[in-house]
Amino acid sequence: MYILLMGPPGAGKGTQAERLIEKYGIPQISTGDMFRAAVKEQTPLGLEAKKYMDNGQLVPDAVTVGIVKERLAKDDCKKGFILDGFPRNTAQAVALDSELAAMGRDLDAALLVSVPDASVVERLSSRRTCKSCGYTAPAGTEVCPRCSGEMYQREDDKPETIQRRLDTYHTQTAPLIEYYRGHSILKEVDGDRPVDEVYADVKDLLSL
């Protein structure tokens, strides 16, 4: 089961991925995790990516695709994976298809968790994060339930920042949605509902 997970920030992709991981034992692979692992392992591509990351620049597509290829070749991906945060553009999507084909694999589905912008802004702006352990809780929580640390609103969770992130998401993702729709593997689920309802539909869409 090879799945690409798409959706705006705050759509609940992580929650759905956690349930799929728990039930089917396949890894969730995010771009950030891959970059951090490659840098930590000091692979040639990891060191190349680090140069761009240290300068606050976007890692070029060729380096990103190379790091993804290395990650997907590992044993834990043989029976499936959930890709999150990659590809970010159609050039990366074409490269991913090519690399998977070379491995004798194909994406089974590009799962799009759709949530209206207004709901995303409401969800994320009402979130508070612990300064000590990173635990998240609803607004109004002043003391972390996990470690008693101080709760605060991250810059990323302020409405104006969220809207900028959404604008970027729509610009980048719209062409990808059409790309995977054209390949007849796009599956769309309404994520603006209770988690259990969304997960039930996800399982139906993926024929699980």
Side-chain angles (χ1 to χ4, degrees):
M1 180 170 58
Y2 306 111
I3 301 169
L4 166 64
L5 192 57
M6 296 191 295
K13 301 188 299 297
T15 301
Q16 296 304 319
E18 284 173 8
R19 293 195 172 198
L20 291 170
I21 290 164
E22 183 179 353
K23 186 168 178 63
Y24 299 101
I26 57 176
Q28 179 183 7
I29 301 170
S30 74
T31 309
D33 290 343
M34 281 186 287
F35 284 158
R36 283 188 289 273
V39 169
K40 183 177 180 180
E41 293 168 11
Q42 295 195 318
T43 67
L45 285 169
L47 294 174
E48 183 71 14
K50 186 175 186 297
K51 290 192 295 187
Y52 293 95
M53 294 161 66
D54 286 348
N55 289 323
Q57 297 174 303
L58 287 175
V59 179
D61 284 355
V63 178
T64 301
V65 170
I67 288 175
V68 172
K69 179 182 177 182
E70 287 181 343
R71 179 65 185 90
L72 297 185
K74 293 190 175 181
D75 287 345
D76 65 338
C77 291
K78 286 183 177 177
K79 66 177 181 177
F81 55 72
I82 301 170
L83 266 178
D84 183 7
F86 178 90
R88 290 189 178 277
N89 55 51
T90 50
Q92 290 183 354
V94 171
L96 174 63
D97 287 346
S98 176
E99 296 298 345
L100 287 175
M103 296 177 185
R105 305 173 186 171
D106 291 299
L107 281 177
D108 294 308
L111 178 64
L112 174 63
V113 182
S114 296
V115 176
D117 285 5
S119 295
V120 169
V121 173
E122 183 180 350
R123 282 186 190 185
L124 295 184
S125 62
S126 66
R127 187 166 66 179
R128 298 296 180 267
T129 304
C130 175
K131 286 185 176 180
S132 300
C133 72
Y135 182 85
T136 56
T141 307
E142 297 181 2
V143 178
C144 176
R146 179 188 289 168
C147 75
S148 300
E150 180 186 350
M151 305 294 287
Y152 77 112
Q153 185 178 39
R154 298 186 316 151
E155 195 64 37
D156 273 0
D157 291 337
K158 293 182 178 178
E160 58 274 19
T161 308
I162 296 166
Q163 191 56 60
R164 286 197 296 271
R165 291 169 66 194
L166 284 168
D167 291 344
T168 300
Y169 164 77
H170 290 306
T171 300
Q172 291 180 339
T173 307
L176 276 178
I177 291 172
E178 293 310 312
Y179 178 85
Y180 287 114
R181 183 176 281 124
H183 284 65
S184 301
I185 62 169
L186 184 74
K187 310 287 185 182
E188 187 169 1
V189 62
D190 176 8
D192 199 19
R193 296 174 297 152
V195 170
D196 289 343
E197 289 182 21
V198 177
Y199 183 57
D201 281 358
V202 165
K203 290 194 295 183
D204 286 345
L205 286 169
L206 298 178
S207 301
L208 299 175

Coordinates of all heavy atoms in Angstrom, one line a residue, residues 51-135:
K51 N 23.7 22.3 3.3 CA 24.2 23.5 2.8 C 23.1 24.5 2.5 O 23.2 25.7 2.9 CB 25.1 23.3 1.6 CG 26.4 22.6 1.9 CD 27.4 22.7 0.7 CE 26.9 21.9 -0.5 NZ 27.9 21.9 -1.6
Y52 N 22.1 24.0 1.9 CA 20.9 24.9 1.5 C 20.1 25.2 2.8 O 19.7 26.4 2.9 CB 20.1 24.2 0.5 CG 20.7 24.0 -0.9 CD1 21.4 22.9 -1.2 CD2 20.7 25.1 -1.8 CE1 22.0 22.7 -2.4 CE2 21.4 24.9 -3.0 CZ 22.0 23.8 -3.3 OH 22.7 23.6 -4.5
M53 N 19.9 24.2 3.6 CA 19.1 24.4 4.8 C 19.7 25.4 5.7 O 19.1 26.3 6.3 CB 18.8 23.1 5.5 CG 18.0 22.1 4.7 SD 18.2 20.4 5.2 CE 17.5 20.4 6.9
D54 N 21.1 25.3 5.9 CA 21.8 26.3 6.8 C 21.7 27.7 6.3 O 21.8 28.7 7.1 CB 23.3 25.8 6.9 CG 23.4 24.6 7.8 OD1 22.4 24.2 8.4 OD2 24.5 24.0 7.7
N55 N 21.5 27.9 5.0 CA 21.4 29.2 4.4 C 20.0 29.7 4.2 O 19.7 30.7 3.6 CB 22.1 29.3 3.0 CG 23.6 29.2 3.1 OD1 24.2 29.7 4.0 ND2 24.3 28.5 2.2
G56 N 19.0 28.9 4.8 CA 17.6 29.2 4.7 C 17.1 29.1 3.3 O 16.0 29.8 3.0
Q57 N 17.7 28.3 2.4 CA 17.2 28.2 1.1 C 16.5 26.9 0.9 O 16.7 25.9 1.6 CB 18.5 28.2 0.1 CG 19.3 29.5 0.1 CD 20.5 29.3 -0.8 OE1 21.3 28.5 -0.5 NE2 20.6 30.2 -1.7
L58 N 15.6 26.8 -0.2 CA 14.9 25.6 -0.5 C 15.9 24.6 -1.0 O 16.8 25.0 -1.8 CB 13.8 25.9 -1.5 CG 12.6 26.6 -1.0 CD1 11.7 26.9 -2.2 CD2 11.9 25.7 0.0
V59 N 15.8 23.3 -0.6 CA 16.7 22.3 -1.2 C 16.2 22.0 -2.6 O 15.0 21.8 -2.9 CB 16.6 21.0 -0.3 CG1 17.4 19.9 -0.9 CG2 16.9 21.3 1.1
P60 N 17.2 22.0 -3.6 CA 16.8 21.8 -5.0 C 16.1 20.5 -5.2 O 16.3 19.5 -4.5 CB 18.1 21.8 -5.7 CG 19.1 22.6 -4.8 CD 18.6 22.3 -3.4
D61 N 15.2 20.4 -6.2 CA 14.5 19.2 -6.5 C 15.4 18.0 -6.7 O 15.0 16.9 -6.1 CB 13.7 19.4 -7.8 CG 12.4 20.2 -7.6 OD1 12.2 20.6 -6.4 OD2 11.7 20.5 -8.6
A62 N 16.5 18.1 -7.4 CA 17.3 16.9 -7.6 C 17.9 16.3 -6.3 O 17.9 15.1 -6.2 CB 18.5 17.3 -8.5
V63 N 18.2 17.2 -5.3 CA 18.7 16.7 -4.0 C 17.6 16.1 -3.3 O 17.7 15.0 -2.7 CB 19.4 17.8 -3.2 CG1 19.8 17.3 -1.9 CG2 20.5 18.4 -4.0
T64 N 16.4 16.8 -3.3 CA 15.3 16.2 -2.5 C 14.8 14.9 -3.1 O 14.6 13.9 -2.3 CB 14.1 17.2 -2.7 OG1 14.4 18.5 -2.1 CG2 12.8 16.7 -1.9
V65 N 14.8 14.8 -4.4 CA 14.3 13.5 -5.0 C 15.3 12.4 -4.6 O 15.0 11.2 -4.4 CB 14.2 13.6 -6.5 CG1 14.0 12.3 -7.2 CG2 13.0 14.5 -6.9
G66 N 16.6 12.7 -4.6 CA 17.7 11.7 -4.3 C 17.5 11.2 -2.9 O 17.6 10.0 -2.6
I67 N 17.2 12.2 -1.9 CA 17.0 11.8 -0.5 C 15.8 10.9 -0.4 O 15.8 9.9 0.3 CB 16.9 13.0 0.4 CG1 18.3 13.7 0.5 CG2 16.4 12.7 1.8 CD1 18.3 15.0 1.2
V68 N 14.7 11.3 -1.1 CA 13.5 10.5 -1.1 C 13.8 9.0 -1.6 O 13.3 8.0 -1.0 CB 12.4 11.1 -1.9 CG1 11.2 10.2 -2.0 CG2 11.9 12.4 -1.3
K69 N 14.5 9.0 -2.7 CA 14.8 7.7 -3.3 C 15.6 6.8 -2.3 O 15.3 5.6 -2.2 CB 15.7 7.9 -4.5 CG 16.1 6.6 -5.2 CD 17.0 6.9 -6.4 CE 17.5 5.6 -7.1 NZ 18.4 5.9 -8.3
E70 N 16.6 7.4 -1.6 CA 17.3 6.6 -0.6 C 16.4 6.1 0.5 O 16.5 5.0 1.0 CB 18.4 7.5 0.1 CG 19.6 7.8 -0.8 CD 20.6 8.7 -0.2 OE1 20.3 9.3 0.9 OE2 21.8 8.7 -0.7
R71 N 15.5 7.0 1.0 CA 14.6 6.6 2.0 C 13.6 5.5 1.6 O 13.4 4.5 2.4 CB 13.8 7.8 2.5 CG 12.8 7.5 3.6 CD 13.5 7.1 4.9 NE 12.6 6.7 6.0 CZ 12.1 5.4 6.1 NH1 12.5 4.5 5.3 NH2 11.3 5.1 7.1
L72 N 13.1 5.6 0.4 CA 12.1 4.6 -0.1 C 12.8 3.2 -0.4 O 12.1 2.2 -0.4 CB 11.4 5.1 -1.3 CG 10.5 6.4 -1.1 CD1 9.8 6.7 -2.4 CD2 9.6 6.2 0.0
A73 N 14.1 3.2 -0.5 CA 14.8 2.0 -0.8 C 15.0 1.2 0.5 O 15.4 0.0 0.4 CB 16.1 2.3 -1.5
K74 N 14.7 1.7 1.7 CA 15.0 1.0 2.9 C 13.9 -0.1 3.2 O 12.8 0.0 2.6 CB 15.0 2.0 4.1 CG 16.2 3.0 4.0 CD 16.4 3.8 5.3 CE 17.7 4.6 5.2 NZ 17.9 5.5 6.4
D75 N 14.3 -1.1 4.0 CA 13.5 -2.3 4.1 C 12.1 -2.0 4.6 O 11.2 -2.7 4.3 CB 14.2 -3.3 5.1 CG 15.4 -3.9 4.4 OD1 15.5 -3.8 3.2 OD2 16.2 -4.5 5.1
D76 N 12.0 -1.0 5.5 CA 10.7 -0.8 6.1 C 9.6 -0.2 5.1 O 8.4 -0.2 5.5 CB 10.8 0.1 7.4 CG 11.2 1.6 7.0 OD1 11.8 1.7 5.9 OD2 11.0 2.5 7.8
C77 N 10.1 0.1 3.9 CA 9.1 0.7 2.9 C 8.7 -0.4 1.9 O 7.9 -0.1 1.0 CB 9.8 1.8 2.2 SG 10.0 3.3 3.1
K78 N 9.2 -1.6 2.1 CA 8.9 -2.6 1.1 C 7.4 -3.0 0.9 O 6.9 -3.2 -0.1 CB 9.8 -3.9 1.3 CG 11.2 -3.7 1.0 CD 12.0 -4.9 1.2 CE 13.5 -4.7 0.7 NZ 14.3 -5.9 1.0
K79 N 6.8 -3.0 2.1 CA 5.3 -3.4 2.0 C 4.4 -2.2 2.0 O 3.2 -2.3 2.0 CB 5.0 -4.3 3.2 CG 5.0 -3.7 4.6 CD 4.6 -4.7 5.6 CE 4.6 -4.1 7.0 NZ 4.1 -5.0 8.0
G80 N 5.0 -1.0 2.0 CA 4.1 0.2 1.9 C 4.7 1.4 2.6 O 5.7 1.3 3.4
F81 N 4.1 2.6 2.4 CA 4.5 3.8 3.0 C 3.4 4.8 2.9 O 2.5 4.7 2.0 CB 5.9 4.3 2.5 CG 5.9 4.6 1.0 CD1 5.2 5.6 0.4 CD2 6.6 3.7 0.2 CE1 5.2 5.8 -1.0 CE2 6.7 3.9 -1.2 CZ 6.0 4.9 -1.8
I82 N 3.5 5.9 3.7 CA 2.6 7.0 3.5 C 3.5 8.2 3.4 O 4.3 8.6 4.3 CB 1.7 7.2 4.8 CG1 0.9 6.0 5.0 CG2 0.9 8.5 4.6 CD1 0.1 6.0 6.3
L83 N 3.5 8.8 2.2 CA 4.4 10.0 1.9 C 3.6 11.3 2.3 O 2.5 11.5 1.9 CB 4.7 10.1 0.4 CG 6.0 9.5 -0.1 CD1 6.1 9.6 -1.6 CD2 7.2 10.1 0.6
D84 N 4.3 12.1 3.1 CA 3.7 13.4 3.6 C 4.6 14.5 3.3 O 5.7 14.5 3.8 CB 3.4 13.2 5.1 CG 2.7 14.4 5.7 OD1 2.3 15.3 4.9 OD2 2.5 14.5 6.9
G85 N 4.2 15.5 2.5 CA 5.0 16.7 2.3 C 5.9 16.6 1.0 O 6.7 17.5 0.7
F86 N 5.8 15.5 0.3 CA 6.5 15.3 -0.9 C 5.6 14.4 -1.8 O 5.0 13.5 -1.4 CB 7.8 14.6 -0.7 CG 8.6 14.3 -2.0 CD1 9.5 15.2 -2.5 CD2 8.4 13.1 -2.7 CE1 10.1 15.0 -3.7 CE2 9.0 12.9 -3.9 CZ 9.9 13.8 -4.4
P87 N 5.5 14.8 -3.1 CA 6.1 15.9 -3.8 C 5.4 17.2 -3.6 O 4.3 17.2 -3.1 CB 5.9 15.5 -5.3 CG 4.7 14.6 -5.3 CD 4.7 13.9 -4.0
R88 N 6.1 18.3 -3.8 CA 5.6 19.6 -3.6 C 5.3 20.3 -4.9 O 4.7 21.4 -4.9 CB 6.6 20.5 -2.8 CG 6.7 20.1 -1.3 CD 7.5 21.1 -0.5 NE 7.6 20.7 0.9 CZ 6.7 21.0 1.8 NH1 5.6 21.6 1.4 NH2 6.8 20.6 3.0
N89 N 5.7 19.8 -6.0 CA 5.4 20.3 -7.3 C 5.3 19.2 -8.4 O 5.7 18.1 -8.1 CB 6.4 21.4 -7.7 CG 7.8 20.9 -7.7 OD1 8.1 19.8 -8.3 ND2 8.7 21.6 -7.0
T90 N 4.9 19.5 -9.6 CA 4.7 18.5 -10.6 C 6.0 17.9 -11.0 O 6.1 16.7 -11.4 CB 3.9 19.0 -11.8 OG1 4.4 20.2 -12.2 CG2 2.4 19.2 -11.4
A91 N 7.1 18.7 -11.0 CA 8.4 18.2 -11.4 C 8.8 17.1 -10.5 O 9.3 16.0 -10.9 CB 9.4 19.3 -11.5
Q92 N 8.6 17.3 -9.2 CA 8.9 16.3 -8.2 C 8.0 15.0 -8.3 O 8.4 13.9 -8.1 CB 8.8 16.8 -6.8 CG 9.9 17.8 -6.4 CD 9.8 18.3 -5.0 OE1 8.8 18.0 -4.3 NE2 10.7 19.1 -4.5
A93 N 6.7 15.3 -8.7 CA 5.8 14.2 -8.9 C 6.2 13.3 -10.0 O 6.1 12.1 -9.9 CB 4.4 14.7 -9.1
V94 N 6.6 13.9 -11.1 CA 7.1 13.1 -12.3 C 8.4 12.3 -11.9 O 8.5 11.1 -12.2 CB 7.4 14.0 -13.5 CG1 8.1 13.3 -14.6 CG2 6.1 14.7 -14.0
A95 N 9.3 13.0 -11.1 CA 10.5 12.3 -10.7 C 10.1 11.1 -9.7 O 10.7 10.0 -9.8 CB 11.4 13.3 -10.0
L96 N 9.2 11.3 -8.9 CA 8.8 10.3 -7.9 C 8.2 9.1 -8.7 O 8.6 7.9 -8.4 CB 7.7 10.8 -7.0 CG 7.1 9.8 -6.0 CD1 8.1 9.2 -5.1 CD2 5.9 10.4 -5.2
D97 N 7.4 9.3 -9.7 CA 6.8 8.2 -10.5 C 7.9 7.4 -11.2 O 7.9 6.2 -11.2 CB 5.9 8.8 -11.6 CG 4.5 9.3 -11.0 OD1 4.2 8.9 -9.9 OD2 3.8 10.0 -11.8
S98 N 8.9 8.2 -11.7 CA 10.0 7.5 -12.3 C 10.8 6.6 -11.4 O 11.2 5.5 -11.7 CB 11.0 8.6 -13.0 OG 12.1 8.0 -13.6
E99 N 11.1 7.2 -10.2 CA 11.9 6.4 -9.2 C 11.1 5.2 -8.7 O 11.7 4.1 -8.5 CB 12.3 7.3 -8.0 CG 13.2 8.4 -8.4 CD 14.6 8.0 -8.9 OE1 14.9 6.8 -8.8 OE2 15.3 8.8 -9.5
L100 N 9.8 5.3 -8.5 CA 9.0 4.2 -8.0 C 8.9 3.1 -9.1 O 9.0 1.9 -8.8 CB 7.6 4.7 -7.7 CG 7.5 5.5 -6.4 CD1 6.1 6.0 -6.2 CD2 7.9 4.6 -5.2
A101 N 8.8 3.6 -10.4 CA 8.8 2.6 -11.5 C 10.0 1.8 -11.5 O 10.0 0.6 -11.8 CB 8.5 3.3 -12.8
A102 N 11.2 2.5 -11.3 CA 12.5 1.8 -11.3 C 12.5 0.7 -10.2 O 13.3 -0.3 -10.3 CB 13.6 2.8 -11.2
M103 N 11.8 1.0 -9.1 CA 11.7 0.0 -8.0 C 10.6 -1.0 -8.2 O 10.4 -1.9 -7.3 CB 11.4 0.8 -6.7 CG 12.5 1.7 -6.3 SD 12.0 2.6 -4.7 CE 13.4 3.8 -4.6
G104 N 9.9 -0.9 -9.3 CA 8.8 -1.9 -9.5 C 7.6 -1.6 -8.7 O 6.8 -2.5 -8.4
R105 N 7.4 -0.3 -8.3 CA 6.2 0.1 -7.5 C 5.5 1.2 -8.2 O 6.0 1.9 -9.1 CB 6.7 0.6 -6.2 CG 7.6 -0.3 -5.4 CD 8.1 0.4 -4.1 NE 9.1 -0.4 -3.4 CZ 9.8 0.0 -2.4 NH1 9.7 1.3 -2.0 NH2 10.6 -0.8 -1.8
D106 N 4.2 1.4 -7.8 CA 3.4 2.5 -8.2 C 2.6 3.0 -7.0 O 2.3 2.3 -6.1 CB 2.4 2.1 -9.3 CG 3.0 1.7 -10.6 OD1 3.7 2.6 -11.2 OD2 2.9 0.5 -11.0
L107 N 2.3 4.3 -7.0 CA 1.4 4.9 -6.0 C 0.0 4.2 -6.1 O -0.5 4.2 -7.3 CB 1.3 6.4 -6.1 CG 2.4 7.2 -5.5 CD1 2.2 8.7 -5.8 CD2 2.6 7.0 -4.0
D108 N -0.5 3.8 -5.0 CA -1.9 3.2 -5.1 C -2.9 4.4 -5.0 O -4.0 4.2 -5.6 CB -2.1 2.3 -3.9 CG -1.3 1.0 -4.0 OD1 -1.3 0.4 -5.1 OD2 -0.5 0.7 -3.0
A109 N -2.6 5.4 -4.3 CA -3.6 6.5 -4.2 C -2.9 7.8 -3.7 O -1.9 7.8 -3.0 CB -4.6 6.2 -3.1
A110 N -3.4 8.9 -4.2 CA -3.0 10.2 -3.7 C -4.2 10.7 -2.9 O -5.3 11.1 -3.5 CB -2.7 11.2 -4.9
L111 N -4.2 10.6 -1.6 CA -5.3 10.9 -0.7 C -5.3 12.4 -0.3 O -4.4 12.9 0.3 CB -5.2 10.0 0.5 CG -6.3 10.2 1.5 CD1 -7.7 9.9 1.0 CD2 -6.1 9.4 2.8
L112 N -6.3 13.1 -0.7 CA -6.4 14.5 -0.4 C -7.5 14.7 0.7 O -8.6 14.4 0.6 CB -6.9 15.3 -1.7 CG -7.2 16.8 -1.5 CD1 -6.0 17.6 -1.1 CD2 -7.8 17.4 -2.8
V113 N -7.0 15.2 1.8 CA -7.9 15.6 3.0 C -8.2 17.0 2.8 O -7.4 17.9 3.1 CB -7.2 15.3 4.3 CG1 -8.1 15.6 5.5 CG2 -6.7 13.9 4.4
S114 N -9.5 17.3 2.4 CA -9.9 18.7 2.1 C -10.6 19.3 3.4 O -11.5 18.7 4.0 CB -10.9 18.7 1.0 OG -10.3 18.2 -0.2
V115 N -10.2 20.5 3.7 CA -10.8 21.3 4.8 C -10.8 22.7 4.3 O -9.8 23.2 3.8 CB -9.9 21.2 6.1 CG1 -10.5 22.1 7.2 CG2 -9.9 19.7 6.6
P116 N -11.9 23.4 4.5 CA -12.0 24.8 4.0 C -11.0 25.7 4.8 O -10.7 25.4 6.0 CB -13.5 25.2 4.4 CG -14.2 24.0 4.5 CD -13.2 22.9 5.0
D117 N -10.6 26.8 4.1 CA -9.6 27.6 4.8 C -10.0 28.2 6.1 O -9.3 28.3 7.1 CB -9.2 28.8 3.8 CG -8.3 28.4 2.7 OD1 -8.1 27.2 2.5 OD2 -7.9 29.3 1.9
A118 N -11.3 28.6 6.2 CA -11.8 29.2 7.4 C -11.7 28.2 8.6 O -11.4 28.6 9.7 CB -13.3 29.6 7.2
S119 N -11.9 26.9 8.3 CA -11.8 25.9 9.4 C -10.4 25.7 9.8 O -10.1 25.5 11.0 CB -12.4 24.6 8.9 OG -13.8 24.7 8.6
V120 N -9.5 25.7 8.8 CA -8.1 25.6 9.1 C -7.6 26.7 10.0 O -6.9 26.5 11.0 CB -7.2 25.6 7.8 CG1 -5.7 25.7 8.2 CG2 -7.5 24.3 7.0
V121 N -8.0 27.9 9.7 CA -7.6 29.1 10.5 C -8.1 29.0 11.9 O -7.4 29.2 12.9 CB -8.0 30.4 9.8 CG1 -7.8 31.6 10.8 CG2 -7.3 30.6 8.5
E122 N -9.4 28.5 12.0 CA -10.0 28.4 13.3 C -9.3 27.3 14.1 O -9.0 27.5 15.3 CB -11.5 28.0 13.2 CG -12.2 27.9 14.5 CD -13.7 27.6 14.3 OE1 -14.2 27.6 13.2 OE2 -14.4 27.3 15.3
R123 N -9.0 26.2 13.5 CA -8.4 25.0 14.2 C -7.0 25.4 14.7 O -6.7 25.2 15.9 CB -8.2 23.9 13.2 CG -9.4 23.0 12.9 CD -9.0 21.8 12.1 NE -10.1 21.1 11.6 CZ -10.1 19.9 10.9 NH1 -8.9 19.4 10.7 NH2 -11.1 19.3 10.5
L124 N -6.2 26.0 13.8 CA -4.8 26.2 14.2 C -4.6 27.4 15.1 O -3.8 27.4 16.0 CB -3.9 26.4 12.9 CG -3.8 25.2 12.0 CD1 -2.8 25.5 10.9 CD2 -3.3 24.0 12.8
S125 N -5.4 28.4 14.9 CA -5.3 29.6 15.7 C -5.8 29.4 17.2 O -5.4 30.2 18.1 CB -6.0 30.8 15.1 OG -7.4 30.6 15.0
S126 N -6.5 28.3 17.4 CA -7.0 28.0 18.7 C -6.1 27.0 19.4 O -6.4 26.5 20.5 CB -8.4 27.5 18.7 OG -8.5 26.2 18.0
R127 N -5.0 26.7 18.8 CA -4.0 25.8 19.3 C -2.9 26.4 20.2 O -2.4 27.5 19.8 CB -3.4 25.0 18.2 CG -2.5 23.8 18.6 CD -2.2 22.9 17.4 NE -1.4 23.6 16.4 CZ -0.9 23.0 15.3 NH1 -1.3 21.7 15.0 NH2 -0.2 23.6 14.4
R128 N -2.6 25.8 21.3 CA -1.5 26.3 22.1 C -0.5 25.2 22.3 O -0.8 24.0 22.3 CB -2.1 26.8 23.5 CG -3.1 27.9 23.4 CD -2.4 29.2 22.9 NE -3.4 30.3 22.8 CZ -4.1 30.6 21.8 NH1 -4.0 29.9 20.6 NH2 -4.9 31.6 21.8
T129 N 0.8 25.6 22.4 CA 1.9 24.7 22.4 C 2.7 24.9 23.7 O 3.0 26.0 24.1 CB 2.8 24.8 21.2 OG1 2.0 24.7 20.0 CG2 3.9 23.8 21.2
C130 N 3.2 23.7 24.3 CA 4.0 23.8 25.5 C 5.4 24.2 25.1 O 6.0 23.6 24.2 CB 4.0 22.5 26.2 SG 5.2 22.4 27.6
K131 N 6.0 25.2 25.8 CA 7.3 25.7 25.5 C 8.4 24.7 25.9 O 9.5 24.6 25.3 CB 7.6 27.0 26.3 CG 6.9 28.2 25.8 CD 7.4 29.5 26.5 CE 6.7 30.7 25.9 NZ 7.2 32.0 26.6
S132 N 8.0 23.8 26.8 CA 9.0 22.8 27.3 C 9.0 21.5 26.5 O 10.1 21.0 26.0 CB 8.7 22.4 28.8 OG 8.9 23.6 29.6
C133 N 7.8 20.9 26.2 CA 7.8 19.6 25.6 C 7.1 19.5 24.3 O 7.1 18.5 23.6 CB 7.1 18.5 26.6 SG 5.3 18.8 26.8
G134 N 6.5 20.7 23.8 CA 5.8 20.7 22.5 C 4.4 20.2 22.5 O 3.8 20.1 21.4
Y135 N 3.9 19.8 23.6 CA 2.5 19.3 23.7 C 1.5 20.3 23.2 O 1.7 21.5 23.5 CB 2.2 18.8 25.1 CG 0.8 18.3 25.3 CD1 0.6 16.9 25.1 CD2 -0.3 19.1 25.7 CE1 -0.7 16.4 25.3 CE2 -1.5 18.5 25.9 CZ -1.8 17.2 25.7 OH -3.0 16.6 25.9

